[in-house]
Amino acid sequence: MKSNGQISVVLNSQKGKTISKELPDFQVVPKDIPVEHAALKEIEEELGALVGMDEMKRMIKEIYAWIYVNKKREEMGLKARKQALHMMFKGNPGTGKTTVARLIGKLFQKMNVLSKGHLIEAERADLVGEYIGHTAQKTRDLIKKAQGGILFIDEAYSLGRGGEKDFGKEAIDTLVKHMEDKQHEFILILAGYSREMDYFLTLNPGLHSRFPLVIDFPDYNINQLMEISARMLVEREYTFSHEAERKLKEHLIWVKAVLSPNSFSNGRYVRNIIEKSIRAQAMRLLMLNSYDRHELMTLRSNDLVFEED
């Protein structure tokens, strides 16, 4: 594991080095995906619709390659140990963690790694009970629902915030036990802020080793946020006027400078602005009683209203 959380899927680093000397990267990795990898091709198309996330996109390809090659090793009678695929997603709100979790479930279901591939989303309140024994039962029930799919726990670090007498620790202990006992029956993905997740891993000695895959979700830069807004508008059949586009960009520059990274919700923030603008545009057109095609599609600068203003 590298210090920045990236994982190499090469199981034997010495062998990986030897191969890279004999066969340079441009010879090892083909440009076109062979026809039999339809599952990867389909997921790649969906990943292509996501802005940024380069590390995550590379990681998903490496996981796919590792699972596929392991199956080929089995066919040849070679050792192919199953590896737990529990993951940790580190990043601020609105950086695409839940979206990626759904895509991973879909890919693993197509590859027969997961029987269902569904996603069960949970937070602290879904796991932590009100009395002794209640928490373990609630946690076991969630894991049972997630069998064949993914259990996605957002803001997982909140399980360790209550101190010694809090039942959150009981939820952590129950998760750790079932991650081992049922490690190939479901995948656990814990998500949250980077610093808080690092602290969370120290709460149980068995946690760190059970998450072989750690993926960082960096904040979007201004250009990426503008690209996200443009894609959202295309999807909804709207467009910005030049003045509205300039106004949004200036606002995003200001708000990213003023708000702390933990307070800024990235892609979610942009989506909320667009949805509010669409409602404001509808009210404006209603008052003007003007409904030609161009006006119905255009969001103007006075349609953009920001709460921070």
Side-chain angles (χ1 to χ4, degrees), residues 122-140 142 153 155-163 165-175 200:
E123 53 188 24
R124 179 188 162 88
D126 300 309
L127 293 108
V128 178
E130 299 171 4
Y131 51 85
I132 294 172
H134 190 206
T135 295
Q137 187 57 52
K138 287 183 77 171
T139 305
R140 282 195 296 267
L142 267 179
I153 303 177
E155 297 184 7
Y157 49 82
S158 64
L159 293 172
R161 280 186 169 169
K165 294 182 180 179
D166 186 73
F167 293 128
K169 187 176 184 304
E170 189 180 352
I172 296 170
D173 295 341
T174 306
L175 285 169
F200 175 74

Side-chain angles (χ1 to χ4, degrees), residues 196-212:
E196 282 85 344
M197 292 307 290
D198 288 337
Y199 168 73
F200 175 74
L201 286 175
T202 67
L203 298 178
N204 183 297
L207 269 176
H208 202 286
S209 62
R210 283 176 170 81
F211 289 96

Side-chain angles (χ1 to χ4, degrees), residues 224-240 244-245 248 251-252 266-282 297-300 303-307:
Q224 288 173 330
L225 288 170
M226 291 303 294
E227 186 180 345
I228 288 170
S229 72
R231 293 188 186 200
M232 288 178 177
L233 289 176
V234 168
E235 186 183 341
R236 294 164 172 76
E237 292 193 328
Y238 284 90
T239 184
F240 277 138
E245 187 175 352
L248 175 61
H251 174 74
L252 290 174
N266 285 276
R268 198 176 303 139
Y269 183 87
V270 171
R271 185 187 67 216
N272 289 341
I273 285 178
I274 287 175
E275 288 174 352
K276 286 178 186 175
S277 301
I278 288 172
R279 293 195 297 271
Q281 182 239 36
M297 293 180 67
T298 304
L299 298 178
R300 302 197 174 277
D303 297 323
L304 290 169
V305 180
F306 310 120
E307 287 182 11

Side-chain angles (χ1 to χ4, degrees), residues 1-6 90 216:
M1 182 181 294
K2 297 180 185 176
S3 61
N4 63 0
Q6 296 177 359
K90 296 180 178 181
D216 285 309

